[in-house]
Amino acid sequence: MATLTCNRFLSASTGLELAGSEAHPGHEISGLPPFVTRSIPFEDIWFAKKPMDNSRLVRTQDPQERKVYWNSIAVLIVVVALGIAFLTPAAAGLMDGYTIQALKQEQQQLLRERSVLELDELRHLSPKRLEELARMQQFVDPGPDQLVFLDKGETVALNHARPKP
Amino acid sequence: MEPYAETESLSRVRVVTRILVAWALIIFLRLIILQVVQHDELRRLAAAQQTRQVEILAPRGRILDREGRPLAMSLPVDSIAIDPVRIPDPYTASNILAGVLGLNQPELLGKILVGAKAGRHFLWVKRRIEPAESERLASFGFDWVESRRESRRFYPNGALAGNVIGSVGFDEQGNSGLELAYNDELSGHAGERTMLNDVRRRAFSEVVDNEAEAGRDITLSIDQQIQFVAERELARAAVENHAGTGTVVVMDPNTGNVLAMASYPTFDPNEPLKKGSGLAARGNLCVTTPFEPGSVFKVFTLSAALETTNLTPETPINCGGGSITLFGRTIHDTHRYGSLSFADVLAKSSNIGAIQIGLRVGDEKLHDYLLRFGFSRSTGSGIPGESAGVIHKLRQWSKSSIGSVAMGHEVQVTAMQLAQACSVVANGGKLVPPRTVLKMKWPDGTVEPEPVRPATRVLSPSTALTMRRLMEGVVLHGTGTRAKMPGYTSAGKTGTAQLYDFNLRSWVHRYNASFMGFAPVNNPAVVVVVTLYGTSGGTAGYGGPVAAPVFREVASTALRVLNVPKDLPETPAPVKEAAPADDDLAIAGLSAPSEPPQPEAVTTPPAVTQLLPAPVVPANFVGISGRRTPDFVGRTLRSVIEEASASGVRIEYFGAGIAKAQTPAPGSVLSPGETVRVQFGR
């Protein structure tokens, strides 16, 4: 037990008399009668008290102290800088990774939507549909030697296609 | 230290030490279990939690027409799966899914219940759904619905060129047409990437394990617009004339590029293959189905004659009054011609005349020339299931076979072979192999043109030019007048082969009507072959009334699309209605028309020389000899050609515009074989 060890250490190293040791001269635990029990636990622990006066001590200036402080601060700054240097890109990379993945998904979605729109456009421009529309709007192919004059302002597509003067 | 205290302390220390050692041992053992024994399993579980493998789609290459308009394309679409165990209310879920995806609700409910009972966490609901369906389903936000990206083939024009393009199966692998023929080139190779996820399954990084390789884009020689008109006109003619099947082939005779290949009936490759309907229904009849060509074959008989005999367009041919007995068989003409010029044999489509010419050529040479024209072997068009047709080996010919072959019987050819052979006449005598694919484009943009196969000479240029004039005569005053086009000269040959019903074991009044021609005559830009199988209606089902109008519409559209300059004034050409000249029936029925050809039944055939009397000019035949030179001065080129062709006068013209001078002078007597030179000017 720690207290016992301490006790024995004090006795052996300092040579101080333990308080109350006279009250139990030649105290031998093994010498007690077997029917005698201890009155309180750890009665063999004794505390020593030695008053010390350090008021006369004067703290001297350590010439290496400031250097140690600055070194410590520098090391701390370097460690923090290194930590930031290593951790910040990783964190930024992680955040960028999220952004890149989101953008990739968006790109895929946009490509898909474009493909769907292309398909719709092709379906709308299929010859069969165009012919049906032409039939519905009563468009006819001009016959041989037949000239078709466009009414100014009434047609749409061909007038718009004319180059501006 | 007293012995008592020391004993007590040490025992306690020992106990605590043992506990600590045991604790450390337990930890150590646990670490061994975790990091050694269960290492692989835990690593797998961690990987499954932190990473996921995602397939990188490799889209199948597009199929484009010659102008770069997509005929087939693949799009990424969603496939829907569910977790039956996590579905809170299977009945409601099945109702929603069935409503959005167009599924059978009771059937889906049953699958969900079975899956949930079996503890399954994955069940496909519908694969490759439409984008609109996907959007509607995503709007519900169900956490038990999983959407997986797959690829789906779309054909934006529906049935257009379906028989050419073909279709793909459920796994997007080609199962017919060019989709099958070029499956390796069109197919991409899917890649794979590993996605790193956070605890909320959000990806923040990825590693590409295998790069995806997209398929190659294939550009066809097919023109979408010409293909559409060809299919439209073919379908119209087939319905009007009760034909079961039909084909149209449009080809550039100079390059061999196939501009259109229409089959009737067609199919929509967007529709999945139905159970019970074989892939044969999706075949390209232009190359897969040979038929007896009938009178169109006379073009090749006459071409061989011009090359191998001393026959000329003006040579009179004895047509025997409409019948001929050939090695015990009697073959009839639809009209009783006493004698016709070589040119008129083609224009009037005389069977007897063609047989006489064929006999003059001889078995061996005729057979040789037919092979030179590309018959009896695949054209190499690249379309799966192409038939080589049938030209029997010479040793298999009977004595009377030449009579049948000369007028297009006892042979079987495909429409593509006819187009290829007709191109020989149109392009000046060279056999140009057809091709349907112009180039391929790799995903990196590299364009790889399809190699052009070399052409081989079959006819001399002069023979080809002569045959052009003879075929123009068919259109101008022969059986193919319905092929006249406003604005363009055209040439061709009609064909009608009577069909034999093997169930009834007799010839029936149904025909294989065909027309083979090209335009313009002087510088042909397109060759068009039209066949309609099983037409009816007597002479109204012949090649002239049925197939020639299809040729006219398709060829005029093709010439317009190709920006071919017109070589005639744009005046509407009056079309003659049904006339005797339409009769071009190549009657295979011989002495007993109700029986199919039985070559082995021929006994003791007489010698050919006995059957072929020397050409005799009948009294009513206006021969070349003694004919007076027509007056061509002041007439247009078209008018001069018509007149010369009708009167059997060979002309040679120079310049363009109006005829200014001619040699010999008008009214002078022409000697046999003499050419009239006409100078045109403006």
Side-chain angles (χ1 to χ4, degrees):
Chain A
M1 294 171 68
T3 50
L4 291 176
T5 307
C6 180
N7 188 7
R8 192 163 46 193
F9 173 73
L10 286 174
S11 304
S13 61
T14 65
L16 293 174
E17 276 300 321
L18 298 174
S21 60
E22 298 86 353
H24 302 284
H27 184 148
E28 289 290 336
I29 295 174
S30 59
L32 292 175
F35 52 86
V36 176
T37 59
R38 291 188 310 199
S39 56
I40 55 175
F42 304 117
E43 60 182 350
D44 53 344
I45 297 175
W46 302 92
F47 299 94
K49 181 182 178 184
K50 180 182 179 182
M52 294 179 71
D53 181 12
N54 290 332
S55 60
R56 289 176 302 154
L57 294 177
V58 177
R59 184 182 178 89
T60 59
Q61 188 70 29
D62 185 359
Q64 299 294 323
E65 187 179 25
R66 184 175 294 271
K67 186 178 178 182
V68 171
Y69 287 159
W70 281 114
N71 283 346
S72 302
I73 290 171
V75 168
L76 185 64
I77 289 173
V78 168
V79 168
V80 170
L82 286 175
I84 291 172
F86 283 106
L87 291 178
T88 303
L94 187 66
M95 299 310 294
D96 288 347
Y98 281 116
T99 307
I100 289 171
Q101 292 303 319
L103 289 173
K104 279 187 176 178
Q105 284 188 358
E106 188 179 354
Q107 181 196 30
Q108 292 298 319
Q109 182 64 24
L110 290 173
L111 286 174
R112 186 181 167 206
E113 288 178 9
R114 189 182 72 174
S115 300
V116 172
L117 290 173
E118 281 179 356
L119 180 64
D120 283 345
E121 182 188 18
L122 290 170
R123 283 172 171 165
H124 283 103
L125 292 176
S126 69
K128 186 176 181 181
R129 183 173 181 276
L130 291 179
E131 192 187 56
E132 286 174 1
L133 288 175
R135 193 184 304 123
M136 284 169 57
Q137 300 187 36
Q138 298 180 336
F139 290 167
V140 292
D141 292 332
D145 284 340
Q146 181 186 359
L147 295 178
V148 178
F149 296 96
L150 301 176
D151 296 332
K152 192 174 182 181
E154 292 188 4
T155 56
V156 179
L158 292 177
N159 280 350
H160 286 181
R162 286 177 182 165
K164 291 180 181 178
Chain B
M1 180 68 64
E2 290 83 358
Y4 174 79
E6 186 176 348
T7 302
E8 186 75 11
S9 300
L10 284 177
S11 71
R12 287 176 181 171
V13 168
R14 287 193 192 100
V15 168
V16 171
T17 304
R18 285 170 190 154
I19 290 172
L20 287 174
V21 168
W23 178 59
L25 274 176
I26 289 171
I27 291 175
F28 184 69
L29 285 174
R30 183 59 182 161
L31 283 174
I32 288 179
I33 290 170
L34 290 176
Q35 299 206 9
V36 177
V37 179
Q38 295 182 338
H39 175 267
D40 294 340
E41 174 67 12
L42 293 176
R43 188 185 181 91
R44 188 187 61 78
L45 289 174
Q49 196 173 31
Q50 298 160 4
T51 66
R52 59 192 162 106
Q53 299 296 118
V54 177
E55 185 186 48
I56 306 174
L57 292 180
R60 189 176 173 85
R62 297 181 300 169
I63 297 179
L64 313 167
D65 84 336
R66 61 191 286 272
E67 296 291 341
R69 293 168 288 213
L71 299 172
M73 58 194 298
S74 289
L75 295 186
V77 293
D78 289 329
S79 290
I80 302 301
I82 57 173
D83 183 349
V85 177
R86 294 178 60 194
I87 294 179
D89 183 357
Y91 182 80
T92 306
S94 63
N95 264 331
I96 294 172
L97 290 174
V100 172
L101 301 176
L103 300 172
N104 184 298
Q105 188 268 337
E107 187 181 343
L108 179 61
L109 177 60
K111 287 181 181 177
I112 293 173
L113 293 176
V114 169
K117 189 176 180 182
R120 292 176 58 190
H121 287 274
F122 187 87
L123 175 68
W124 282 119
V125 177
K126 191 175 181 182
R127 304 281 295 275
R128 297 183 174 90
I129 63 176
E130 290 283 340
E133 293 176 331
S134 179
E135 285 183 15
R136 288 180 62 195
L137 192 60
S139 65
F140 286 99
F142 294 133
D143 59 350
W144 41 267
V145 172
E146 184 182 355
S147 174
R148 292 192 178 186
R149 191 61 54 86
E150 292 187 293
S151 182
R152 179 178 164 184
R153 200 70 164 160
F154 287 95
Y155 302 89
N157 296 313
L160 183 71
N163 298 78
V164 183
I165 301 169
S167 57
V168 297
F170 187 73
D171 53 355
E172 236 191 8
Q173 297 295 307
N175 57 21
S176 66
L178 291 172
E179 292 274 24
L180 174 62
Y182 289 88
N183 188 52
D184 290 343
E185 290 81 1
L186 288 166
S187 297
H189 300 287
E192 195 175 51
R193 62 185 169 186
T194 303
M195 308 289 293
L196 303 179
N197 302 320
D198 62 10
V199 70
R200 298 167 72 178
R201 305 286 290 173
R202 290 181 308 176
F204 59 83
S205 183
E206 66 177 29
V207 177
V208 176
D209 303 318
N210 295 312
E211 286 284 357
E213 185 183 348
R216 283 172 257 175
D217 289 347
I218 290 181
T219 301
L220 305 183
S221 59
I222 299 291
D223 185 280
Q224 177 178 293
Q225 189 64 28
I226 302 174
Q227 178 77 24
F228 173 72
V229 174
E231 289 186 3
R232 183 190 66 193
E233 295 303 318
L234 176 65
R236 180 183 298 167
V239 171
E240 287 176 355
N241 297 284
H242 315 291
T245 59
T247 59
V248 172
V249 176
V250 184
M251 183 173 161
D252 182 338
N254 301 302
T255 63
N257 291 342
V258 180
L259 300 170
M261 264 191 289
S263 297
Y264 177 86
T266 185
F267 72 97
D268 186 351
N270 288 305
E271 300 293 329
L273 196 63
K274 293 174 183 172
K275 288 181 180 175
S277 65
L279 284 171
R282 301 193 164 196
N284 188 337
L285 302 180
C286 300
V287 296
T288 60
T289 309
F291 58 93
E292 276 196 331
S295 294
V296 294
F297 218 62
K298 292 170 184 169
V299 170
F300 312 114
T301 305
L302 270 64
S303 297
L306 288 175
E307 285 278 296
T308 60
T309 69
N310 59 357
L311 294 173
T312 66
E314 297 79 23
T315 306
I317 304 296
N318 179 17
C319 294
S323 67
I324 185 174
T325 301
L326 189 63
F327 302 104
R329 293 180 179 178
T330 302
I331 300 175
H332 299 276
D333 241 339
T334 50
H335 295 283
R336 295 169 183 252
Y337 298 113
S339 180
L340 291 173
S341 69
F342 184 92
D344 279 345
V345 167
L346 192 70
K348 307 295 182 189
S349 195
S350 166
N351 295 331
I352 311 303
I355 293 170
Q356 296 281 27
I357 293 170
L359 289 169
R360 193 76 71 88
V361 174
D363 291 8
E364 194 171 335
K365 288 178 180 173
L366 181 59
H367 182 267
D368 178 48
Y369 264 86
L370 294 182
L371 296 185
R372 287 196 200 184
F373 271 107
F375 296 113
S376 193
R377 68 171 186 267
S378 168
T379 64
S381 64
I383 296 174
E386 180 171 2
S387 169
V390 178
I391 301 285
H392 291 297
K393 292 178 181 174
L394 199 55
R395 65 173 180 272
Q396 294 174 320
W397 283 26
S398 68
K399 293 291 183 184
S400 62
S401 286
I402 191 165
S404 299
V405 172
M407 60 178 188
H409 281 269
E410 286 193 31
V411 294
Q412 291 201 328
V413 300
T414 64
M416 180 62 78
Q417 285 177 324
L418 276 183
Q420 179 184 237
C422 186
S423 295
V424 173
V425 177
N427 66 24
K430 291 179 292 183
L431 183 76
V432 181
R435 67 173 187 164
T436 51
V437 175
L438 294 182
K439 58 187 175 184
M440 292 187 198
K441 185 179 178 184
W442 293 73
D444 61 1
T446 308
V447 176
E448 178 187 348
E450 275 288 284
V452 178
R453 289 179 290 163
T456 54
R457 181 157 292 283
V458 177
L459 300 177
S460 65
S462 61
T463 301
L465 289 174
T466 304
M467 285 307 300
R468 278 193 210 168
R469 302 296 168 203
L470 298 186
M471 291 174 72
E472 187 184 22
V474 175
V475 174
L476 293 177
H477 54 84
T479 56
T481 53
R482 286 178 172 81
K484 282 183 185 172
M485 290 183 291
Y488 292 102
T489 56
S490 58
K493 180 70 189 83
T494 59
T496 308
Q498 195 171 5
L499 300 184
Y500 182 79
D501 191 323
F502 287 94
N503 294 323
L504 300 175
R505 301 183 69 80
S506 68
W507 298 94
V508 295
H509 290 289
R510 296 183 77 84
Y511 311 98
N512 183 19
S514 53
F515 187 90
M516 173 184 77
F518 51 85
V521 174
N522 288 327
N523 188 17
V526 291
V527 164
V528 180
V529 172
V530 181
T531 66
L532 287 143
Y533 188 86
T535 60
S536 59
T539 56
Y542 286 10
V546 172
V550 178
F551 165 86
R552 183 183 65 229
E553 297 300 324
V554 174
S556 59
T557 299
L559 293 171
R560 178 175 56 79
V561 170
L562 298 174
N563 285 325
V564 176
K566 295 184 176 177
D567 60 348
L568 284 180
E570 273 199 59
T571 51
V575 177
K576 287 195 290 185
E577 290 306 319
D582 288 331
D583 296 347
D584 61 347
L585 180 62
I587 299 175
L590 304 176
S591 56
S594 61
E595 291 295 327
Q598 298 290 335
E600 57 277 8
V602 176
T603 56
T604 61
V608 175
T609 50
Q610 292 175 318
L611 267 171
L612 285 178
V616 176
V617 180
N620 59 349
F621 176 68
V622 182
I624 301 297
S625 178
R627 172 164 297 182
R628 294 189 179 276
T629 308
D631 184 3
F632 295 134
V633 176
R635 300 168 68 176
T636 62
L637 174 61
R638 168 86 174 175
S639 171
V640 170
I641 291 174
E642 285 184 3
E643 172 68 20
S645 182
S647 57
V649 174
R650 178 187 291 181
I651 64 166
E652 189 175 346
Y653 55 89
F654 310 93
I658 306 297
K660 300 292 186 185
Q662 69 175 77
T663 304
S668 59
V669 178
L670 280 172
S671 56
E674 187 175 2
T675 301
V676 178
R677 290 178 170 80
V678 185
Q679 178 65 50
F680 288 84
R682 296 186 187 279

